[in-house]
Every structure is written in structure tokens, then in C-alpha cells.
């Protein structure tokens, strides 16, 4: 079996996610089996780069045996100048192709991909309800809705509200921290202790701010604080984790196994938020 062509296209994410258009690929073979994959570069401003990188890497796999998944991964990782440590655009494209190749393998053997990856480990997985809101009232309503639908955890819960990134914070430091803490308290009061609150900080804080916020919000027992700072300084992330009684989560912007290794060695995260469409694939 040989790879014959790769189609690349963007999906319509709908009105609610208008700024995000998932970039996907379909890898075709000469036996009529095809596989689909997705690149984790979805924002419109990065879409041309994601499409271009997929086009470049796709040329390198024409004629290859799609069942040699690991060999193709190594080729894509090593053959280009930017492959090793080439950044999220490169790894998003590698991820899309890798996922598509595993899809082909699963179809060829007529089994779920998890069978090829070592077998089933669990019968079910816990999920959380994704909430957002531009006011405290909207967040509380969303969390109550999640509880009514049977969820016992909510994620993407921003104590600083979901404001556009172009809008700078206008509050004093004291108001910024204390209002966010009070907001979490109101949410906790509204839904009780049988709901886990996974707080999303959107990489908007400085290390000292994150530690201060963590110490004050800990009384409301959030499950974790996700991405308190930009995840490009693993020592700073470790410093926050070392000074916080609230577990730290990060990883959705991390794209190499070496980066995850460095974070884990530093005890810089309690929860690895891995994106299969960005970290190199399955």
C-alpha cells in the first residue's frame, strides 16, 4: 500500500467559533483506504502557516507505505531544517499526518486505534463541561447548567472573565486579584462542593501574581489552575507550582516530548494538558 495524495482543507467552525477554522488533511492510498487528521493551528491568523506547512510535509510522504507510521514521523521530524524544535506550526502539521496514518492503520486492520496502541485501559473517562462568560452572572448560570445536566466538573472557567485579548486589564492589582477570587467564591457558593472547578488563567499572569492568586483562591478548592503564565519558562512554572497549594495544569501549547519531560522533572505541573493535534500526533 502506498500514499498517493494528501488533501488539505479547512472546516467551518460556525458562528460561535468564527475565529477558528480547524485545518484538516485526508491521506489517500492506492488501495482506496484514506485517513483523516487535524492540525492544532486553528486561529485564522495562523491558518495560512498551518496550511502551508501541511502542503510542504505532504509532499514528503507521497509514495510511502502508510503503515510505517513511526518511520514517516521520524522522516518528517528530521528531514526539514525546522523539524527538530521547529515550533508549533511544524508539529501541528506532523500531528495531522500522524493521526491520519493511524486512521488508515485502524481501517486496514478493522480495529479501533487504541487496539493498535496497546489495548484498552479503561471503560469510561471523566469529562468536564466547557463554560465561558463575560460577567459573573453568566459564569454562574453556565456552571449551574452544567450541574443540571449531570456534570461534576467545569473547565475553561476564567476567574478573570472571557475578555478579548485585545482588551487590556484596567483594574488596579488589588481589584484584579480580589475580584477574581470573590468570583470563584460566588461560583462555589452557587454549586456547592460536589462540582470541581478547573480554573483557566489564559497565560495572563506574572509569576508573582499567580502565586498570590493561588494562595487566596485555595480556600475554594479549585481542582487546578491552568496556564497561569506563558509556558515558555519552565523554571518560572516550577516556581509557581512549588509555592502553590493548588495543582498546576499546563501543556496545550507544548509540542515536544522533551518539553513535557522538562516540566515533569521540575514538578512544574500536576496535570498534563496534552493536545494530540499539536504535540506530534498519537
Amino acid at each position: 500500500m502506498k500514499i498517493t495524495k494528501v488533501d488539505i482543507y479547512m472546516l467551518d467552525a460556525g458562528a460561535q467559533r468564527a475565529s477558528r477554522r480547524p485545518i484538516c488533511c485526508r491521506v489517500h492510498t492506492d488501495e482506496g483506504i484514506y485517513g483523516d487528521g487535524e492540525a492544532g493551528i486553528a486561529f485564522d491568523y495562523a491558518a495560512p502557516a498551518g496550511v502551508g506547512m501541511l502542503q510542504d510535509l505532504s509532499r514528503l510522504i507521497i509514495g510511502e507505505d502508510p503503515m510505517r507510521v513511526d518511520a514517516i514521523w521520524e522522516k518528517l521530524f528530521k528531514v526539514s531544517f525546522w523539524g527538530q524544535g521547529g515550533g508549533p506550526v511544524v508539529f501541528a502539521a506532523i500531528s495531522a499526518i500522524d493521526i491520519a496514518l493511524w486512521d488508515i492503520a485502524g481501517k486496514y486492520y478493522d480495529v479501533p486505534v487504541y487496539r493498535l496502541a496497546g489495548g484498552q485501559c479503561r471503560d469510561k473517562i471523566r469529562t468536564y463541561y466547557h463554560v465561558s462568560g463575560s460577567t459573573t452572572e453568566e459564569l454562574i448560570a453556565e456552571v449551574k447548567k452544567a450541574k443540571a445536566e449531570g456534570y461534576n466538573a467545569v473547565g475553561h472557567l476564567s476567574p478573570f472573565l472571557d475578555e478579548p485579548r485585545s482588551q487590556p486589564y484596567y483594574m488596579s492589582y488589588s481589584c484584579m486579584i480580589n475580584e477574581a477570587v470573590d468570583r470563584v467564591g460566588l461560583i462555589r457558593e452557587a454549586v456547592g462542593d460536589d462540582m470541581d472547578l478547573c480554573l483557566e488563567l489564559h497565560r495572563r499572569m506574572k509569576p508573582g501574581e499567580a502565586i498570590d492568586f493561588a494562595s487566596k483562591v485555595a480556600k475554594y478548592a479549585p481542582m487546578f489552575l491552568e496556564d497561569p503564565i506563558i509556558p515558555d519558562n519552565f523554571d518560572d512554572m516550577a516556581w509557581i507550582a512549588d509555592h502553590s497549594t493548588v495543582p498546576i495544569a499546563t501543556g496545550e501549547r507544548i509540542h515536544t516530548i522533551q518539553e513535557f519531560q522538562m516540566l515533569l522533572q521540575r514538578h512544574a505541573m500536576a496535570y498534563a494538558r496534552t493536545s494530540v493535534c499539536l504535540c506530534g500526533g498519537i
Side-chain angles (χ1 to χ4, degrees), residues 122-268:
R122 53 182 62 87
D123 297 316
K124 58 184 179 181
I125 188 168
R126 188 184 186 195
T127 61
Y128 65 66
Y129 188 98
H130 191 285
V131 300
S132 62
S134 58
T135 66
T136 303
E137 292 73 23
E138 288 177 1
L139 282 180
I140 291 175
E142 283 280 287
V143 176
K144 284 184 174 180
K145 179 182 177 183
K147 186 174 183 179
E149 293 189 11
Y151 288 87
N152 63 1
V154 289
H156 194 266
L157 176 60
S158 175
F160 298 98
L161 301 177
D162 291 294
E163 298 173 336
R165 291 189 174 276
S166 59
Q167 179 176 326
Y169 286 128
Y170 59 90
M171 299 182 191
S172 66
Y173 174 81
S174 178
C175 285
M176 179 184 74
I177 297 294
N178 291 327
E179 284 194 14
V181 172
D182 291 343
R183 186 170 291 117
V184 176
L186 291 172
I187 294 170
R188 173 62 74 201
E189 181 181 357
V191 295
D193 286 334
D194 57 347
M195 174 70 78
D196 278 327
L197 307 180
C198 307
L199 303 185
E200 167 67 85
L201 304 184
H202 290 305
R203 300 159 293 278
R204 289 187 171 186
M205 308 194 81
K206 303 294 189 295
E209 295 172 346
I211 292 171
D212 186 22
F213 174 75
S215 68
K216 292 176 178 176
V217 81
K219 60 186 175 183
Y220 298 121
M223 185 173 179
F224 57 69
L225 305 180
E226 181 171 0
D227 285 342
I229 61 172
I230 295 173
D232 59 354
N233 190 315
F234 301 148
D235 290 333
D236 277 351
M237 193 72 80
W239 186 60
I240 294 170
D242 188 49
H243 289 79
S244 172
T245 59
V246 182
I248 301 299
T250 190
E252 68 178 5
R253 303 297 176 91
I254 302 299
H255 54 274
T256 73
I257 193 170
Q258 291 82 9
E259 290 172 312
F260 279 103
Q261 181 183 25
M262 286 186 280
L263 284 164
L264 291 169
Q265 285 178 332
R266 287 167 170 77
H267 304 286

Side-chain angles (χ1 to χ4, degrees), residues 3-176:
I3 296 171
T4 56
K5 68 173 182 174
V6 181
D7 294 328
I8 301 166
Y9 51 93
M10 288 191 289
L11 300 178
D12 184 357
Q16 289 185 326
R17 311 281 281 187
S19 65
R20 301 188 185 189
R21 297 191 63 194
I23 301 168
C24 301
C25 71
R26 174 165 289 181
V27 178
H28 296 267
T29 70
D30 57 1
E31 293 190 15
I33 302 174
Y34 63 83
D36 294 319
E38 180 183 349
I41 299 291
F43 288 99
D44 280 352
Y45 61 79
V51 170
M53 186 56 63
L54 256 178
Q55 290 172 338
D56 287 344
L57 294 186
S58 294
R59 299 187 188 103
L60 302 177
I61 67 172
I62 301 300
E64 294 278 3
D65 179 355
M67 306 300 287
R68 301 178 69 239
V69 180
D70 285 351
I72 292 176
W73 195 99
E74 291 291 336
K75 178 180 181 179
L76 298 179
F77 178 67
K78 294 177 178 178
V79 75
S80 77
F81 180 79
W82 300 109
Q84 302 185 51
V89 174
V90 173
F91 274 82
I94 292 176
S95 299
I97 293 172
D98 185 76
I99 295 168
L101 297 183
W102 280 107
D103 190 19
I104 289 171
K107 291 172 179 175
Y108 180 83
Y109 290 111
D110 195 25
V111 295
V113 169
Y114 68 75
R115 291 285 297 276
L116 304 177
Q120 185 176 0
C121 294
R122 53 182 62 87
D123 297 316
K124 58 184 179 181
I125 188 168
R126 188 184 186 195
T127 61
Y128 65 66
Y129 188 98
H130 191 285
V131 300
S132 62
S134 58
T135 66
T136 303
E137 292 73 23
E138 288 177 1
L139 282 180
I140 291 175
E142 283 280 287
V143 176
K144 284 184 174 180
K145 179 182 177 183
K147 186 174 183 179
E149 293 189 11
Y151 288 87
N152 63 1
V154 289
H156 194 266
L157 176 60
S158 175
F160 298 98
L161 301 177
D162 291 294
E163 298 173 336
R165 291 189 174 276
S166 59
Q167 179 176 326
Y169 286 128
Y170 59 90
M171 299 182 191
S172 66
Y173 174 81
S174 178
C175 285
M176 179 184 74

